[in-house]
Amino acid sequence: MKLHRLPLYLFSIIAIGFLTLPLLALILRAVSDSAWEAMSTPAVGDALWLSAWTSLITLIITFVFGTPLAYTLARYKFLGRRLILVLTALPIVLPPAVAGLALLLTFGRNGLFGDMLRSANIRIAFTVSAVVMAQVFVSAPFYIRSAVTGFMAIPQDVQEAARVDGAGGWALFWRVVMPLSSRTLLAGMVLAWARAVGEFGATIFFAGGAQGRTQTMPLLIYQLFESDLDATIVTGVLLVIVALCALLVAQFLSREKAIW
Amino acid sequence: MRIQLAILIILFAFITAISHAQPTQLTVFAAASLTDVLTEAGTLFDSQYNTQTTFSFGASSTLATQIREGAQADLFLSANITQAQNIIEAGLADGDMLIFAKNRLVVIIPADNPADIQSLADLARDGVYIALAMPDVPIRTYTDQMVEAMRADSAYGEDFYAQFYANVVIEGANVRQVVTQVALGEADAGVVYASDVTPDVADDLAILDVPDEFNVIAEYPLVLLNESVNGDVAREFIAFLLSDAGQDLFVKWGFSSIRPAKSWGWAVICEGNPEWSGCE
């Protein structure tokens, strides 16, 4: 054993230990308690399903709208570019409850677009759309910033060479840029998805958190925490397992050369 | 040597004097609906005694869970008996619970009444957005009781019951979140305590009274936690809340006083502490 590597290993063990021991404690408690009856309540099924499909839609929206923004920021120099880069990071810093309030003040009935939405008979706040919007708001920045880094990492000469060979804007993007940055994009999507699934503060404020309607897993866990600790633990472990599977799949996918 | 001894003695006396001048810390976990009244009570209490009272306000159910999981506090002031009972059953409070205030429910609507709610029956109308607290929060438990009482009345019945809950789109973490949603005008109606219509939100809200036959008398119990290190100060605070000065504060903030009756458990406290200020 190379002694000079000891600090490296030691710090690594402390870091990974701190990150995984709480999860282990959660799983151990869940196994030793017989609270699996709690799983059969409709609330758990509802929340699980809602979290799953809303986070997926969130991911799609984030990709569709986040990628062009990231590409623009990576590729072109323009006035205000640095400011926009900073703005994309702001939702990360904002406390989720503040984010929820901000969304409410924008898209709520009395918000900025309140009158416009009301005349079109569209209600956004306290619907499932609000759940998705809250998730997009807090998670998209993670994807966008990752994508910007990924796009900027592609050497200029590779793009020039592709252009010399006749690749126009769209082809350049799809056939050259995307495949080369696919791993970073995937990493960004995983991070964004994880943030979206764990979203709590903005959801309860903007979407309402009503059971069976807009109550996602984190909201259910918060509610259960006050009445049934065993059910909380079991639901928490469920969330961990689902997340683990998704992350493992993402990890496996990223080992391919290119996804496209 | 003598000089050093003298300095030591002076330092010691100084430190002792400082520590005597340090205010006694009192940590109180209290229901969200008590935010305004207790903040004022705390300031008054601290000015009369050498104390520094810190409050942690939140849903009683959340606070009870925190206490059960190890949060440090001297007193727990709950919005319903259930949560105080939880603490007693967990063995964290040995004494009886004392009712220190009462409250009743009201339906609040935004001042401009966007959904045109004129009566309780309108709450069951299609498309009305109702804000309640999430299950286990005392105000939600009381609201469920109120709706149950209405369900038993032929004027409302099963239809009202079903429609009412179908209209619940917001389940806030505590009663104050419900107030905020209605005050912002985002919810069409919410069920909160009469005391929650505080001066800062009174302009944004209109009140729909809940008649006595459906209304609930919310009883607020407090318990002295076993882990409390400042039992004497805590008891003085309890006495303050139960005194005329304290009860006047509750009435000022929209609660109902427990006067003229002394609350439950009072006899038990006095038996054990006959010299206590509330007992003569």
Side-chain angles (χ1 to χ4, degrees), chain A residues 3-260:
Chain A
L3 267 175
H4 65 272
R5 287 215 195 132
L6 191 59
L8 183 71
Y9 295 151
L10 188 65
F11 276 70
S12 305
I13 289 173
I14 292 174
I16 194 64
F18 183 70
L19 293 177
T20 50
L21 274 176
L23 297 176
L24 198 65
L26 198 64
I27 294 171
L28 285 175
R29 257 307 269 280
V31 164
S32 50
D33 283 312
S34 54
W36 293 89
E37 316 88 75
M39 301 283 288
S40 59
T41 58
V44 177
D46 287 341
L48 195 58
W49 176 237
L50 188 69
S51 275
W53 76 262
T54 51
S55 60
L56 213 59
I57 306 259
T58 298
L59 208 55
I60 295 171
I61 294 176
T62 303
F63 181 74
V64 166
F65 286 92
T67 314
L69 176 62
Y71 189 63
T72 312
L73 286 169
R75 177 97 165 70
Y76 304 109
K77 299 264 181 291
F78 52 89
L79 187 69
R81 180 178 168 274
R82 291 240 180 90
L83 178 65
I84 295 185
L85 258 175
V86 168
L87 287 176
T88 58
L90 271 184
I92 301 177
V93 177
L94 216 57
V98 177
L101 186 63
L103 285 168
L104 199 57
L105 293 174
T106 312
F107 301 103
R109 198 158 54 179
N110 291 338
L112 271 179
F113 296 123
D115 291 327
M116 208 184 299
L117 293 168
R118 212 180 319 199
S119 50
N121 221 13
I122 300 176
R123 283 189 120 159
I124 295 184
F126 317 123
T127 61
V128 186
S129 319
V131 177
V132 172
M133 285 171 76
Q135 289 180 356
V136 171
F137 187 78
V138 300
S139 66
F142 290 100
Y143 172 69
I144 293 170
R145 293 186 75 78
S146 220
V148 168
T149 312
F151 290 148
M152 283 178 76
I154 299 171
Q156 269 298 88
D157 44 356
V158 170
Q159 298 188 55
E160 292 304 322
R163 210 162 297 137
V164 163
D165 284 343
W170 191 240
L172 176 70
F173 182 71
W174 270 116
R175 302 271 186 83
V176 180
V177 174
M178 284 292 269
L180 283 177
S181 56
S182 64
R183 215 167 288 182
T184 320
L185 293 188
L186 188 62
M189 289 214 280
V190 164
L191 208 56
W193 178 80
R195 179 64 188 90
V197 167
E199 172 40 44
F200 173 84
T203 316
I204 197 173
F205 250 71
F206 185 46
Q211 188 196 306
R213 257 188 271 224
T214 52
Q215 190 183 51
T216 53
M217 285 291 268
L219 292 179
L220 174 67
I221 290 172
Y222 181 83
Q223 184 205 308
L224 286 175
F225 186 53
E226 302 172 5
S227 55
D228 189 351
L229 198 62
D230 292 333
T232 310
I233 293 170
V234 163
T235 319
V237 169
L238 197 63
L239 189 61
V240 168
I241 292 174
V242 168
L244 197 64
C245 292
L247 292 174
L248 281 171
V249 166
Q251 189 68 9
F252 173 73
L253 281 178
S254 73
R255 286 209 272 134
E256 308 290 348
K257 262 295 174 72
I259 350 178
W260 309 102

Side-chain angles (χ1 to χ4, degrees), chain B residues 10-23:
Chain B
I10 291 170
L11 259 174
F12 181 72
F14 187 65
I15 291 170
T16 322
I18 294 283
S19 59
H20 272 277
Q22 292 288 17

